[in-house]
Amino acid sequence: MENKPTALSLNKGQSATIDFIESNEFSSRLLSLGIVPGKKCKIVGLAPFGGAKIMALENHLIALRDEELSSVYITLENRSAL
Amino acid sequence: MKNIALVGNPNSGKSTLFNLLTGLRQKVSNFPGVTVEKKTGTITLTNGEKVNLIDLPGTYSLFPNSGEEKIVVNILTNPTDEWYPDLIVYVADVTQLERHLLLALQIQQLGFPMIFVANMSDLTGKNTDIKPLQEFLHIPVLLSTATSKNDLENIKEHITAFFSAPVNQKEFIFERALPFSEAEISTFSEVSENSSQRSLYQNKLLLHHYHWIKAGETRRSEIESLVKSRSFRNMDSQVKEIMYLYDQLLPVVKKLNPEYQQAPEMSGIDVVLTHRWLGPIIFFGIMLFVFQSIYTWATYPMDWIESGFTVLSQWFSGWLPEHFMSSLFINGILAGLGGVLVFVPQIAILFLLITLLEESGYMSRAVYMFDHIMQKFGMNGRSIVSLISSGACAIPAIMATRTIQNPKERLITIMVSPLISCSARLPVYAILVGFVVPDVRVWGFLNAPGLVFMGLYLLGIVAALGSAFVFSKILKSGESSFLMLELPSYKKPDWNNVWITTKDKVMSFVREAGKIILIISVILWVMSTYGPEQKMIQARTEAINLAQSQNLNEEETQTLISQKQLESSWAGMVGKFIEPAIEPLGYDWKIGIALITSFAAREVFVGTMATIYSIAQDDEGTTLREKMKNEKKQDGIKPMYDVATALSLLVFYVFALQCMSTLAVTKKETGSWKWPVLQFSFMGVLAYVGAWAVYHIFS
């Protein structure tokens, strides 16, 4: 599990597929915001003073802190598909 | 009367619907024990029956992260709650059904009858075929646009129909009952004797939330031991439930509106508005506008209110007989009322603008941009709006902290906002700054008093951030801090919502803070007008004798009388009494009196000084400065207002909470006297220590 990439490792413009959400106090909130395994996500913005990023899902945007992004485990999209 | 609850996600258009359904017959209060707004009202159904309607806070699921969301769970799981609903009107954004259906399914597990309103924020959802949704949920599904009268009537008709012949929805709901395992069922049924599916789910929620849920209050320790003995895994079970519900609802959503399954992207507007450096620049541009409106534009209506009250009190004093009661009415109550109403323009303008920013969807972008910086000081991205607004007035700024969900971050913002120099400090700074530096230029282009002004403002900002940092280390946090914020698509603000919010804010200020401000201002008036009878008469005679011997005209005599009487009043006595305490700061009892009276509002300092130095009210500006310049210290040689004393006073006014209205609002917003008292004390200590240090460095 330690080696698996999380959404924190995504750069701006990079897409991925969500694999699973770590079980912690934030997981139900992340899930209810539509950050659900199987969905595609993309990092589309970096906060001006750091610490947070904007994740785009199919038709909505969610702002997440770095530590929140690190509970979202992902599979990077194929480079060729980018 | 029957209860109907409006339930839905944040940004579902729920509050707009509430405003439309209740119109102006709505009441805003607080949920008991917390400062979360509770909006209730009554609606008349198509058959003439009246029912209660409550707008429950927006929530994402029954697994809450914030106090607001907990309220929803508490009401929906507690049949003895006064607002336990007979019917739920569920509001969802038709373009965001995937997420908005989740809570609806959870609520169905609790067995509530429900009407599902699929809200269209724009016309894109017009072609949505709701049939599959209706078949999936087994409840009435209504498409609605907030602006359509027909849709509103349609909702009311469905509510009426439900109450005239309640459909037993229960049998439908549990078609999709959560598939509990044998072990789970045995655990859940141990929570209560009732083991229907409906109460199994209710029991499951009790196990999840046993440490705070109201419905489990009396059995807390039993439930806790059950959680431990059966090793109930709270988080895993939450994730499992949500995943199961998503599996159920995703295929339906796909069928409903396939055109929304777009590729993840951000709109062009957002690329600019949240840009790494354009974003903050635009934000500060908007804040400059907000600041300008409450700092400059609000002064016009404020002046009208003030001069209106002056005219009114003149009219009354000409008309009422000279009597203690007349004086109490005119100088105490009427003046106090004026002191309350004078804040209305600033509150109204700030909330008008903030609601526009919230409604349009911009505010969540600002929160995201400044989250990290404000987090370092224990605050929230939203705090920055309050801190900037404090530069005009702390009162609307403190009221604006309502939207900060984390209680600790909100409290810190409330506590430190009054440290930012507000516009009421300006007259005080203006009169004193001349004693600190001469009006000369520095390096050819900078104005020396201007630099001191800037220094004072900076001092306030540094103190606010510094104290916030200290508070963030001291205060305990009840709830964990998180961002996880939805950035809703931009919308045209709904003017009805903007108007209602602004009106509510103004009314709640006048009602709740107004009382306290009125009482304190009457007390302050009594203190500065009355004193021990003998002394007051003596002061009057002395003043008249002195005036006669100096051949003063009537106006000068009156001014002299006010001066002598203020000196012998209770306020004067307290001023003299505290002299030993303020002497180390370089103050005498005259300043002491001004410190006490200016608790009403900082700018009163100037008026009191004018009275003390016997200056007619009309020309206090320059004349007062002249008089103060000639004032000598006790030795009779050194000037009273030397650089050290003036600077010490300035620093005192930067820090001290010399404002009863701020205290009243902090009391209103925190719901207890503990926080305003603490606020007054910590700012007082800062002021005392700061003034003392400055005085000793410069003298």
Side-chain angles (χ1 to χ4, degrees):
Chain A
M1 197 158 123
E2 279 83 47
N3 299 324
K4 200 147 172 50
T6 68
L8 184 61
S9 64
L10 290 175
N11 292 320
K12 192 178 163 184
Q14 242 182 328
S15 302
T17 306
I18 299 163
D19 268 352
F20 63 95
I21 310 291
E22 197 182 285
S23 264
N24 58 33
E25 54 179 327
F26 299 135
S27 32
S28 63
R29 171 83 161 210
L30 287 169
L31 286 167
S32 56
L33 283 168
I35 301 173
V36 185
K39 292 270 166 197
K40 270 190 186 167
C41 69
K42 185 177 178 181
I43 294 300
V44 291
L46 311 174
F49 306 98
K53 296 183 172 83
I54 300 179
M55 178 186 276
L57 291 118
E58 271 156 9
N59 64 349
H60 66 285
L61 305 172
I62 305 287
L64 297 166
R65 280 187 194 154
D66 287 350
E67 64 262 33
E68 292 153 9
L69 285 164
S70 66
S71 314
V72 180
Y73 287 84
I74 50 152
T75 303
L76 273 170
E77 208 157 77
N78 250 337
R79 294 228 160 247
S80 56
L82 279 173
Chain B
M1 265 205 296
K2 301 247 170 45
N3 288 334
I4 301 178
L6 281 182
V7 182
N9 279 213
N11 307 309
S12 60
K14 193 167 56 65
S15 298
T16 307
L17 185 64
F18 177 81
N19 287 340
L20 286 169
L21 282 171
T22 57
L24 293 175
R25 287 159 318 214
Q26 55 171 271
K27 212 178 103 199
V28 181
S29 54
N30 283 342
F31 284 103
V34 281
T35 40
V36 174
E37 248 152 44
K38 171 178 160 190
K39 298 175 80 180
T40 57
T42 51
I43 52 173
T44 312
L45 301 179
T46 42
N47 63 359
E49 191 188 343
K50 283 202 163 122
V51 290
N52 289 320
L53 185 69
I54 184 167
D55 184 16
L56 290 180
T59 180
Y60 290 104
S61 74
L62 294 179
F63 303 131
N65 287 101
S66 71
E68 287 192 25
E69 292 183 313
K70 283 180 184 167
I71 288 169
V72 179
V73 176
N74 271 330
I75 290 180
L76 297 185
T77 53
N78 184 8
T80 60
D81 192 285
E82 110 185 83
W83 281 100
Y84 188 75
D86 298 294
L87 170 69
I88 284 178
V89 174
Y90 190 90
V91 187
D93 182 340
V94 84
T95 65
Q96 303 290 339
L97 279 178
E98 182 184 310
R99 283 174 301 133
H100 289 194
L101 269 174
L102 183 71
L103 177 64
L105 293 187
Q106 283 191 311
I107 286 172
Q108 281 197 323
Q109 299 293 320
L110 279 173
F112 282 105
M114 194 153 73
I115 292 173
F116 192 97
V117 177
N119 205 19
M120 291 181 287
S121 51
D122 51 42
L123 292 174
T124 45
K126 196 127 210 174
N127 302 322
T128 313
D129 177 18
I130 50 170
K131 258 232 174 82
L133 195 56
Q134 195 142 359
E135 280 162 14
F136 173 66
L137 291 171
H138 297 288
I139 54 172
V141 175
L142 315 173
L143 261 183
S144 141
T145 45
T147 45
S148 155
K149 271 232 152 63
N150 278 344
D151 292 344
L152 265 186
E153 282 310 306
N154 193 18
I155 293 171
K156 277 193 197 174
E157 266 162 33
H158 271 85
I159 297 173
T160 313
F162 171 80
F163 281 127
S164 33
V167 190
N168 190 2
Q169 295 188 356
K170 222 165 141 187
E171 52 194 298
F172 301 127
I173 297 160
F174 299 120
E175 267 182 15
R176 222 177 7 268
L178 291 173
F180 296 136
S181 69
E182 287 290 323
E184 280 174 322
I185 290 173
S186 100
T187 309
F188 299 162
S189 37
E190 260 189 60
V191 179
S192 79
E193 277 161 22
N194 192 335
S195 60
S196 65
Q197 176 77 27
R198 176 178 179 164
S199 48
L200 276 188
Y201 186 69
Q202 164 117 3
N203 291 350
K204 181 173 190 273
L205 289 180
L206 285 172
L207 288 167
H208 280 301
H209 308 315
Y210 70 88
H211 42 283
W212 54 264
I213 199 165
K214 283 238 169 70
E217 223 162 22
T218 49
R219 291 170 290 157
R220 194 150 291 162
S221 54
E222 293 162 49
I223 303 176
E224 185 175 3
S225 55
L226 192 63
V227 166
K228 294 208 170 111
S229 67
R230 299 297 181 96
S231 52
F232 176 71
R233 302 181 56 155
N234 186 358
M235 293 306 158
D236 289 344
S237 177
Q238 289 187 11
V239 171
K240 196 177 138 201
E241 177 183 325
I242 296 180
M243 288 309 297
Y244 173 79
L245 294 175
Y246 265 122
D247 284 344
Q248 303 290 303
L249 65 87
L250 282 177
V252 186
V253 176
K254 265 219 169 79
K255 241 193 289 177
L256 280 171
N257 38 15
E259 69 260 45
Y260 290 121
Q261 317 295 317
Q262 302 151 349
E265 253 341 305
M266 187 155 74
S267 73
I269 311 172
D270 256 338
V271 171
V272 176
L273 289 183
T274 62
H275 186 270
R276 292 203 89 164
W277 46 270
L278 273 179
I281 291 174
I282 294 169
F283 174 79
F284 282 111
I286 293 172
M287 281 300 113
L288 193 69
F289 179 80
V290 171
F291 182 77
Q292 187 71 10
S293 8
I294 39 181
Y295 197 87
T296 315
W297 300 337
T299 54
Y300 297 107
M302 285 165 84
D303 285 346
W304 301 334
I305 291 170
E306 275 180 338
S307 44
F309 271 91
T310 313
V311 170
L312 216 61
S313 68
Q314 275 166 359
W315 185 77
F316 272 116
S317 51
W319 180 71
L320 289 170
E322 204 161 303
H323 186 266
F324 153 77
M325 287 304 281
S326 318
S327 179
L328 170 72
F329 175 70
I330 295 165
N331 298 314
I333 295 173
L334 208 59
L337 214 58
V340 174
L341 292 183
V342 81
F343 289 108
V344 166
Q346 285 179 323
I347 293 172
I349 294 178
L350 182 68
F351 278 100
L352 185 84
L353 295 174
I354 285 186
T355 317
L356 281 176
L357 293 178
E358 291 274 5
E359 283 257 318
S360 66
Y362 178 76
M363 197 62 100
S364 48
R365 272 78 180 175
V367 173
Y368 148 75
M369 284 194 288
F370 295 96
D371 178 69
H372 194 56
I373 290 191
M374 299 315 280
Q375 207 59 49
K376 290 190 172 138
F377 299 101
M379 289 186 280
N380 181 282
R382 278 193 167 85
S383 308
I384 201 164
V385 178
S386 286
L387 293 183
I388 291 173
S389 309
S390 292
C393 180
I395 297 185
I398 288 174
M399 291 174 69
T401 59
R402 275 283 167 115
T403 48
I404 301 173
Q405 285 202 347
N406 183 289
K408 183 180 166 184
E409 292 167 356
R410 173 163 181 255
L411 190 59
I412 293 176
T413 314
I414 293 176
M415 293 302 272
V416 305
S417 281
L419 278 168
I420 306 281
S421 283
C422 64
S423 58
R425 281 162 168 113
L426 260 182
V428 183
Y429 291 175
I431 202 106
L432 290 170
V433 80
F435 296 103
V436 177
V437 284
D439 191 359
V440 291
R441 281 174 185 265
V442 186
W443 301 316
F445 65 99
L446 291 170
N447 169 279
L451 280 179
V452 175
F453 263 88
M454 202 179 82
L456 295 171
Y457 273 92
L458 277 178
L459 189 62
I461 295 168
V462 169
L465 293 180
S467 329
F469 184 76
V470 174
F471 274 121
S472 74
K473 299 286 168 218
I474 299 172
L475 289 176
K476 268 191 232 120
S477 175
E479 284 168 26
S480 46
S481 170
F482 60 88
L483 181 62
M484 297 193 283
L485 181 70
E486 182 184 356
L487 305 180
S489 52
Y490 291 100
K491 276 199 287 280
K492 249 197 289 173
D494 181 291
W495 286 102
N496 195 31
N497 289 355
V498 174
W499 153 244
I500 287 175
T501 311
T502 308
K503 195 198 73 183
D504 285 345
K505 289 291 170 184
V506 169
M507 293 309 289
S508 73
F509 168 78
V510 172
R511 238 186 356 246
E512 293 165 49
K515 270 185 294 194
I516 303 171
I517 297 174
L518 200 63
I519 291 168
I520 302 179
S521 67
V522 169
I523 293 173
L524 283 173
W525 167 77
V526 170
M527 278 180 69
S528 56
T529 318
Y530 294 93
E533 214 179 333
Q534 279 298 313
K535 277 195 165 182
M536 292 300 276
I537 297 170
Q538 205 184 329
R540 195 182 167 86
T541 348
E542 246 174 57
I544 293 174
N545 289 341
L546 194 64
Q548 274 169 351
S549 71
Q550 290 181 355
N551 257 337
L552 299 181
N553 66 25
E554 177 142 359
E555 201 195 327
E556 287 166 332
T557 312
Q558 275 309 320
T559 326
L560 197 62
I561 293 174
S562 330
Q563 178 210 342
K564 293 288 176 200
Q565 287 199 328
L566 177 60
E567 281 178 25
S568 358
S569 69
W570 299 113
M573 287 176 70
V574 177
K576 283 175 191 158
F577 177 75
I578 62 167
E579 193 175 31
I582 56 176
E583 215 186 339
L585 312 183
Y587 312 157
D588 58 5
W589 59 269
K590 293 178 182 172
I591 298 178
I593 297 175
L595 290 186
I596 290 160
T597 56
S598 70
F599 181 64
R602 293 176 179 93
E603 65 267 28
V604 172
F605 176 82
V606 181
T608 304
M609 292 307 267
T611 308
I612 289 172
Y613 290 116
S614 232
I615 297 158
Q617 291 287 332
D618 313 333
D619 47 15
E620 40 194 50
T622 43
T623 331
L624 178 57
R625 207 167 297 149
E626 281 304 308
K627 281 259 186 172
M628 285 169 70
K629 212 178 229 167
N630 296 330
E631 181 76 3
K632 296 283 184 280
K633 281 207 159 70
Q634 270 174 341
D635 57 12
I637 308 154
K638 281 189 235 140
M640 176 67 212
Y641 295 93
D642 53 7
V643 173
T645 302
L647 256 186
S648 149
L649 252 181
L650 279 173
V651 169
F652 190 88
Y653 270 88
V654 167
F655 292 141
L657 186 49
Q658 287 284 92
C659 180
M660 58 172 181
S661 311
T662 304
L663 283 180
V665 165
T666 302
K667 155 73 175 59
K668 165 178 158 7
E669 290 299 318
T670 57
S672 102
W673 278 107
K674 176 180 160 193
W675 299 110
V677 166
L678 182 67
Q679 191 176 38
F680 183 76
S681 318
F682 101 85
M683 288 176 68
V685 169
L686 265 185
Y688 194 89
V689 173
W692 181 85
V694 166
Y695 183 69
H696 282 268
I697 292 166
F698 285 88
S699 66

